[in-house]
Amino acid sequence: MSRTKLFYWLMLAVAAGFMLHAIYANFLYDPQADRFLSQKIDLKRQFNKPVWLNVMYMHIGFACIATVAGTVNFASKVRNKYRRLHRVLGYVYVAAVVAVCLTSGYMAPYATGGKVTSVPFNLLNILWVGLSVISIAKIRKKQRIAHRNWMVRSYAFCFTNMCIHLITALVHQGFGASYTLSYTIGVYGAIAFLLLAGELIVRMLNGREKGVRLL
């Protein structure tokens, strides 16, 4: 099995695990998000829990759609043999990303940690949509390698929530920091890690394609 195929199957396993956990944790185990909301203290905005929950459900649902569409589109068979499906799924992915970012924009002011975490969430929303739009612009110009590169950078942020909670758990349970501080570190750490991971994957994929510009 080639490194590319091995990487794809690893990505598929991570994506499937992430979605199953998100669905179980948010729709079955704690549908009212009581455990997560119990960590939010000193909210400065009036909090309407039913509205927030509905937005959260939409946020998770669109995140799962983006993850599935992105994962399928990275399959070489879909990309090479089913180009119309690939194109449709690409637009579905971008639409889902926009929906995720819009719902995140609503929830950001209520983020654990206050403005110090809500600001990077909003900046991430702009960045993620921007990366996705650039990817579409590249393929419309027939720049296939550049399209793939920007899509890799965009797709990495499908795992933002997973990385935030992994880093939060590590800092909170491993080092005994408060949950609020741990979550704040998780937000900044996840954004930095996923930016770096996306770029490293782009460079790895292009390493075998001499003479092809990364951008």
Side-chain angles (χ1 to χ4, degrees), residues 16-17 39 53 62 64 75 85 87-88 94 104 116 127 139 146 163 202 211 214:
Q39 305 292 344
L53 283 173
F62 283 118
C64 288
L85 174 62
R87 184 165 57 251
V88 170
V94 173
S104 176
V116 73
L127 173 64
I139 196 58
C163 285
V202 165
L214 292 179

Side-chain angles (χ1 to χ4, degrees), residues 52-191:
W52 185 91
L53 283 173
N54 286 329
V55 174
M56 183 194 72
Y57 296 148
M58 289 189 289
H59 181 77
I60 295 168
F62 283 118
C64 288
I65 291 172
T67 303
V68 170
T71 303
V72 172
N73 259 3
F74 278 115
S76 58
K77 187 174 183 179
V78 173
R79 200 168 59 244
N80 298 325
K81 296 185 68 174
Y82 303 100
R83 292 187 178 181
R84 179 173 294 180
L85 174 62
H86 179 80
R87 184 165 57 251
V88 170
L89 286 176
Y91 284 111
V92 168
Y93 170 83
V94 173
V97 167
V98 171
V100 170
C101 292
L102 288 175
T103 52
S104 176
Y106 170 83
M107 295 189 294
Y110 306 104
T112 301
K115 185 175 290 187
V116 73
T117 51
S118 66
V119 170
F121 268 130
N122 284 322
L123 292 176
L124 173 58
N125 293 336
I126 297 171
L127 173 64
W128 195 5
V129 172
L131 293 173
S132 305
V133 170
I134 291 173
S135 178
I136 295 296
K138 292 297 183 181
I139 196 58
R140 291 178 69 87
K141 295 179 181 179
K142 308 300 182 183
Q143 299 174 6
R144 296 176 182 269
I145 300 300
H147 165 68
R148 182 199 63 191
N149 292 346
W150 287 101
M151 189 57 74
V152 168
R153 294 173 178 126
S154 170
Y155 180 76
F157 288 104
C158 285
F159 303 98
T160 301
N161 189 63
M162 181 185 74
C163 285
I164 289 175
H165 288 288
L166 285 175
I167 296 173
T168 299
L170 175 64
V171 177
H172 181 53
Q173 299 177 14
F175 295 93
S178 68
Y179 184 85
T180 299
L181 176 60
S182 301
Y183 188 82
T184 302
I185 294 173
V187 171
Y188 285 90
I191 294 173

Side-chain angles (χ1 to χ4, degrees), residues 10-23 67 71 155 159:
L10 177 61
M11 180 183 71
L12 182 63
V14 173
F18 160 69
M19 287 188 296
L20 288 173
H21 176 267
I23 292 170
T67 303
T71 303
Y155 180 76
F159 303 98

